[in-house]
Amino acid sequence: MEKSKWPPGDLVIWIFIMAELLVFGIFFAAYAFTRANHVELFNTYQATLDRNAALINTLALITSSYFVVRAVAAIKMDDSRKCFQWLLAALCMGLVFLLVKGIEYQHHFSQGISLSTNTFYMFYLSMTFFHFLHVILGMVILIAVALKARAGGYSARQHDGVETGASYWHMVDLVWMVLFPLVYVMN
């Protein structure tokens, strides 16, 4: 049995992931610092968010990451067909996330909420939309990986592309696991 490569996937994606995590970390630190200085404002407007929608999105992303793990396991077993199917399932969960988040945004925008409404909404909309864009990019990556898997472009011996896409997708999921409690839950 071949020893697993560490880190999984392409080293370049890890440099990109670290840069992205740094940017999100700065966002999170700025949010936490500002929240600490405006607790009442943040608590008031945080209560207007749809926690059920955020929970659905959390479950969708956790499920999608599980499906991506299954896709990696499938290709390591030399099963391109199952890898493709698991990636499609992950993409479906990503689509659920985008749809639910889109409905949330539509609700806020229909009420006249924007980046300039107040400090809380500026952070909420900026951070969640930045993450939303990362979900879209992650889905584009997973689509490319899925199409190559369907065409037989990966194998048990050569599957760096699947692991690279999976690594990026897991970063997107990880960021949401911090964003969800930080923005929707913590008081």
Side-chain angles (χ1 to χ4, degrees):
M1 187 163 149
E2 225 175 280
K3 186 178 183 222
S4 291
K5 187 176 109 185
W6 185 256
D10 214 347
L11 182 59
V12 174
I13 198 68
W14 286 99
I15 295 167
F16 185 65
I17 286 171
M18 292 303 153
E20 293 289 80
L21 289 175
L22 177 62
V23 172
F24 274 108
I26 291 167
F27 250 140
F28 295 159
Y31 176 88
F33 178 79
T34 306
R35 180 178 178 43
N37 291 304
H38 300 91
V39 174
E40 192 173 312
L41 173 89
F42 276 61
N43 284 346
T44 298
Y45 290 100
Q46 182 184 52
T48 67
L49 301 181
D50 187 342
R51 288 184 180 164
N52 290 326
L55 179 60
I56 290 167
N57 274 343
T58 302
L59 295 173
L61 286 182
I62 290 170
T63 303
S64 72
S65 276
Y66 169 75
F67 292 159
V68 167
V69 167
R70 299 299 304 153
V72 170
I75 201 60
K76 286 182 176 182
M77 299 294 287
D78 224 11
D79 193 338
S80 291
R81 186 183 61 79
K82 280 194 177 172
C83 177
F84 173 74
Q85 291 171 342
W86 284 116
L87 289 171
L88 281 184
L91 286 162
C92 286
M93 291 294 100
L95 188 58
V96 167
F97 180 92
L98 294 179
L99 290 172
V100 171
K101 197 77 202 134
I103 292 167
E104 260 189 287
Y105 287 143
Q106 192 279 328
H107 170 75
H108 291 305
F109 297 149
S110 72
Q111 294 189 335
I113 294 169
S114 70
L115 289 170
S116 61
T117 298
N118 61 41
T119 306
F120 172 79
Y121 281 122
M122 185 271 301
F123 273 108
Y124 164 76
L125 292 171
S126 297
M127 291 191 311
T128 61
F129 190 69
F130 192 51
H131 180 264
F132 185 90
L133 294 174
H134 281 76
V135 172
I136 292 170
L137 176 58
M139 290 178 69
V140 168
I141 292 168
L142 290 183
I143 288 167
V145 171
L147 292 174
K148 187 171 177 179
R150 187 176 72 178
Y154 300 112
S155 68
R157 293 184 60 84
Q158 189 359 3
H159 53 268
D160 277 0
V162 179
E163 288 184 331
T164 298
S167 297
Y168 186 82
W169 190 253
H170 292 317
M171 183 274 299
V172 170
D173 192 14
L174 172 67
V175 167
W176 183 257
M177 293 304 118
V178 175
L179 192 58
F180 168 61
L182 187 66
V183 174
Y184 287 89
V185 180
M186 290 176 59
N187 281 324

